Structure formats: structure tokens, C-alpha cells
């Protein structure tokens, strides 16, 4: 048991030692990134033959490679080799006394040479963020120095040369710090007044004038060319139209001649066909005529002869029958005449009797008094009321939706009789109502029959009850 515990303890110690060794190795083994440099310090400086100590020999620079840093004896530092964009804005006076505002952009980085990296490490290892401000100051000074030696025209005309001069002016100061300038570009040059704008106005006006002249010349040349092309096109189109018209005319003439020749040939052919048909028809007519003579005429002559004989026989028979019918008709006529005379005499006698009867009736009517006429009228009233109410009697079932419906039926009949009296008065001049009133006034104390209106109402009520 004790042996096992000892073994586990030893194993744990080994594992721990291996882990510590791995951690130490991992921290000691360094690989430089593509955009950085490793600065390893801790070596003993070497001595030259004269006995001087070489301080740079105690520092190792590793770029794009790997290195092993001895624990406890050496230290590793990294410094960025990435490019930095520096924007420079300065105001400076040119040699001709014009104040200019300039803006430039430079790409600055730590140099790739070991000596440049060592210089930069000595100056910026623990303050790499100050590289931008330091570079900006150096470039601003160089930019002002170069502008002070040039005119405005030189600054504007050749910016590439101007930027190159600025870069050459600043290169020494930058290299002393281990820095290099990759590129430098002047972005803009301005002034506070209108000097720069007016500086280019004569040239701009000249260029504009030249451009307008060139544009006008080009437009004129283009118009002339278009006109010439249009004229050529028109002439070519004219020639084409004339040629097409000539071809169309020749084609139409040839087509007309061909059509006329075709129609003439067809007409001749039709005439020949008609001639042949005429000959055939004449021959057929002659043949048919001979056939008719043989088949129709001779039998027709025989039939005609027989028909004539038959007609003569029938005519003789009809003559005999006509004579007999004439004699019989004469006898019948005499008999009819006798009957007609008798009937006429009878009708005349009957008419004379009827006329005498009518005349007698008329004479009798002339002798009628108002009482007689009134009597005749009163006798006719019920029949008149019955005829007026006759349509109601044809109704099978009548429903009256009213409290006074029954009395209204009698009133309708009485109203109809009154209209009848008015019609009689307008057509014959006989006023039945006045006649009844005069009779009533002549016998006021006589208990007579009910008045005509009362009788009318009674008759109407009777007819209405029969209708219900």
C-alpha cells in the first residue's frame, strides 16, 4: 500500500513537472507575426578589439521568424511594423508672398532593417502611440520648408515633384528615429482669397473659347456632313424611285399585254366551242324534228281527226240537250213567275194590314191623355229596373264588406233608372219625371199608388234581393 502511494506521488510530481515545463517552454518559444518584430534583450554585450563594449550586441532582433527566450535570463518585446496614415494640415507662405493652406497624406512605418528597428525600439518601444504625432510634426515642418522655396504656380503645376521634395526634406529626420516614408501625396492647395481661382481664369477662358470654337466647328462640319449625306440619300432615293417606277411601268405593260393576249385566246377558244355547239345543236334539232314528225305529228294528225269527229258528236248532243233544257226552263219560268206573283200579292196585303194597324195605333196614341201615358210608363218601370239589375243577377256569390252595402245596391239600381229617364228625355223629348210630378200635383188628396221614385226604389230593392 505504501509502495502504491509512493508511486502515485512520484507520478503526480512528474506530471506537474511536465506541465510546468510545457508552460515555461510555451512562454519562452516566440514566433514573430508578419507585421511585427521581436526585440530580445538580456545577452551579455561583446567587447571590440579596442576593449569597447558593443551595446547593440546585447539585443537580438527577430523579424518574420522564431526565437527561444531563455527564462530568467532574457526578455522579449514586440514592436509593430504596420503602416500608419498621417494626415498633415499646414498653412504656409509661398516665395511670392501668397498664404496657402495645404493638406497632405503620408504612409509612415518603422523600417524593415535591423538598425532601423533597433532605433525605433530604443525611442518608441514603450510609447508606440506617439509615432503618429512625431511623424506629423516632422512632415509639417518639411512641408512648410518646401512651400517657402516655391511659387504658387510651381506648387500647383507639379505636385508630384513638390511631394518628392517634401519627402526628401523629411527623410533624414525620420530615418534617425527608425521611421521611413512609404508615400506622400498633396491632397489640396487652397488660399483665403480668390488668387488661385483668378490664377486659372485666363487659361480657363481661353480653353473655354477654344472649346466653343471647336464645338461650333464640329457642329458646322457635322451639319454639312449630314446635309451632304441627306442630299446623297435623297438623290439615291430619287434614282431608286425612278427605277422602281420604270420597272413597275414595264411590268404593268407586259402584264396587260399578257392578260389581253390571254383574254383574246380565251375568247377565240370560247367562240370555237360555241360554233361547235351550234353545229351540234342544229344537227340535234334536225334529228329531233324528224323524230317528232315520225313520233308526234302523224299520230297527232290521226288524233286530231278523231277529236274533231268526237267534238262534232258531242256538239250535236249538247244542242239536243240545250233545246230540251230550254223548253223545260221556259216551263219552270212560267211556274216561278206565277208563284212570285202570288207571294207579292200576299206580302202587299200583309204590309197594307200592318200599316193600317200602325196608323190606327198612332191615332190611338194621339188620343192618349197624360194619365194614359203615365199608366203605360208605370207599367214599363219594373221591366226597365229588371233589365238594369240583370247583370247583378248573373253573380253567383256576392260578399258585401260594408255596413250599408245592401242599401247601396238599391241606390245603384235607382241611379241607373234615373240615367235611363235622362236618356229617354234627351232622345224622345218625353220627361218621365215631370210627367209623374204633374200627375201627383193634379190629385194631391187621392190615395194613389206609391210615387214613381218610391216604386223605383221598391223595384230596385226587389231586384237587389233577387241578385243576393
Amino acid at each position: 500500500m505504501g509502495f502504491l502511494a509512493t508511486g502515485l506521488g512520484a507520478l503526480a510530481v512528474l506530471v506537474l513537472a511536465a506541465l510546468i515545463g510545457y508552460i515555461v517552454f510555451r512562454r519562452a518559444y516566440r514566433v514573430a507575426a508578419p507585421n511585427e518584430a521581436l526585440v530580445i534583450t538580456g545577452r551579455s554585450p561583446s567587447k571590440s578589439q579596442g576593449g569597447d563594449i558593443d551595446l547593440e550586441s546585447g539585443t537580438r532582433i527577430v523579424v518574420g521568424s522564431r526565437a527561444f527566450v531563455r527564462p530568467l535570463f532574457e526578455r522579449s518585446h514586440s514592436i509593430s511594423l504596420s503602416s500608419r496614415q498621417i494626415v498633415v494640415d499646414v498653412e504656409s507662405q509661398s516665395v511670392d508672398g501668397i498664404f496657402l493652406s495645404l493638406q497632405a497624406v503620408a504612409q509612415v512605418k518603422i523600417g524593415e532593417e535591423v538598425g532601423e528597428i533597433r532605433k525605433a525600439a530604443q525611442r518608441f518601444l514603450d510609447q508606440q502611440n506617439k509615432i503618429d504625432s512625431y511623424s506629423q510634426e516632422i512632415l509639417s515642418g518639411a512641408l512648410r520648408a518646401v512651400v517657402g522655396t516655391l511659387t504658387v504656380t510651381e506648387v500647383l503645376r507639379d505636385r508630384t515633384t513638390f511631394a518628392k521634395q517634401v519627402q526628401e526634406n523629411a527623410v533624414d529626420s525620420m530615418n534617425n528615429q527608425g521611421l521611413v516614408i512609404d508615400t506622400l501625396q498633396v491632397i489640396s492647395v487652397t488660399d483665403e482669397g480668390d488668387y488661385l481661382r483668378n490664377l486659372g481664369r485666363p487659361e480657363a477662358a481661353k480653353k473655354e473659347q477654344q472649346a466653343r470654337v471647336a464645338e461650333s466647328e464640329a457642329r458646322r462640319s457635322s451639319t454639312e456632313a449630314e446635309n451632304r449625306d441627306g442630299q446623297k440619300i435623297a438623290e439615291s432615293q430619287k434614282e431608286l424611285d425612278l427605277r422602281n417606277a420604270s420597272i413597275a411601268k414595264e411590268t404593268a405593260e407586259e402584264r396587260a399585254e399578257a392578260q389581253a393576249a390571254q383574254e383574246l385566246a380565251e375568247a377565240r377558244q370560247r367562240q370555237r366551242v360555241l360554233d361547235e355547239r351550234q353545229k351540234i345543236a342544229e344537227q340535234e334539232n334536225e334529228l329531233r324534228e324528224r323524230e317528232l314528225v315520225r313520233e308526234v305529228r302523224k299520230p297527232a294528225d290521226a288524233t286530231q281527226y278523231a277529236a274533231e269527229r268526237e267534238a262534232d258528236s258531242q256538239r250535236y248532243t249538247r244542242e239536243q240537250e240545250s233545246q230540251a233544257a230550254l223548253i223545260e226552263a221556259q216551263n219552270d219560268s212560267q211556274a216561278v213567275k206565277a208563284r212570285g206573283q202570288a207571294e207579292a200579292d200576299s206580302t202587299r196585303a200583309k204590309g197594307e194590314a200592318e200599316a193600317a194597324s200602325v196608323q190606327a195605333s198612332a191615332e190611338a196614341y194621339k188620343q192618349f191623355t197624360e194619365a194614359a201615358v203615365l199608366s203605360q210608363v208605370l207599367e214599363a218601370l219594373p221591366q226597365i229596373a229588371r233589365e238594369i239589375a240583370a247583370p247583378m243577377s248573373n253573380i253567383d256569390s256576392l260578399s258585401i264588406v260594408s255596413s250599408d252595402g245592401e242599401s247601396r245596391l238599391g241606390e245603384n239600381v235607382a241611379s241607373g233608372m234615373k240615367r235611363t229617364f235622362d236618356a229617354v228625355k234627351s232622345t224622345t223629348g218625353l220627361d218621365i219625371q215631370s210627367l209623374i210630378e204633374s200627375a201627383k200635383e193634379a190629385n194631391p188628396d187621392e190615395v194613389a199608388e206609391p210615387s214613381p221614385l218610391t216604386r223605383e226604389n221598391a223595384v230596385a230593392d226587389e231586384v237587389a234581393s233577387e241578385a243576393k
Side-chain angles (χ1 to χ4, degrees), residues 4 56 88 182 185 208 225 274 279 282 301 376 451 468:
L4 180 59
E56 294 181 358
V88 182
D182 282 345
Q185 297 290 335
E208 183 178 0
L274 291 177
K279 292 179 182 179
E282 291 176 355
D301 291 342
Q376 293 292 326
S451 64
K468 291 189 291 182

Side-chain angles (χ1 to χ4, degrees), residues 128-158:
Q128 298 184 40
N129 55 349
K130 293 185 178 181
I131 294 177
D132 293 352
S133 60
Y134 177 79
S135 301
Q136 189 174 30
E137 292 297 331
I138 293 176
L139 293 174
S140 298
L143 194 58
R144 292 189 185 94
V146 174
V147 170
T149 62
L150 299 175
T151 63
V152 176
T153 304
E154 292 173 343
V155 173
L156 296 176
R157 183 169 298 172
D158 193 357

Side-chain angles (χ1 to χ4, degrees), residues 16-133:
L16 181 59
L19 181 59
I20 294 172
Y22 174 75
I23 293 173
V24 171
F25 177 79
R26 187 79 178 96
R27 291 175 61 88
Y29 188 79
R30 301 294 304 276
V31 178
N35 62 337
E36 71 174 357
L38 297 178
V39 180
I40 302 173
T41 60
R43 280 186 177 184
S44 299
S46 60
K47 294 181 179 180
S48 60
Q49 294 180 357
D52 296 329
I53 298 175
D54 187 6
L55 298 176
E56 294 181 358
S57 61
T59 303
R60 285 190 300 162
I61 305 299
V62 178
V63 179
S65 182
R66 63 184 182 273
F68 183 80
V69 180
R70 294 178 299 173
L72 303 177
F73 298 101
E74 293 179 340
R75 294 184 61 184
S76 175
H77 307 276
S78 63
I79 188 169
S80 176
L81 302 180
S82 298
S83 178
R84 303 167 186 267
Q85 180 173 305
I86 309 298
V87 179
V88 182
D89 293 315
V90 298
E91 291 183 358
S92 180
Q93 185 177 10
S94 63
V95 73
D96 47 7
I98 304 300
F99 282 93
L100 301 176
S101 296
L102 297 96
Q103 185 179 42
V105 175
Q107 300 293 330
V108 178
K109 69 174 184 177
I110 297 175
E112 298 177 356
E113 299 295 333
V114 174
E116 294 172 341
I117 296 173
R118 183 175 283 111
K119 291 177 183 179
Q122 291 174 356
R123 293 164 177 78
F124 303 109
L125 183 62
D126 55 351
Q127 51 180 3
Q128 298 184 40
N129 55 349
K130 293 185 178 181
I131 294 177
D132 293 352
S133 60

Side-chain angles (χ1 to χ4, degrees), residues 49 56 130 160 211 224 233 243 288 395 421 435 451 467:
Q49 294 180 357
E56 294 181 358
K130 293 185 178 181
T160 302
E224 292 178 354
I233 292 172
R243 180 57 180 167
R288 184 59 180 166
I395 299 174
F421 291 166
L435 185 63
S451 64

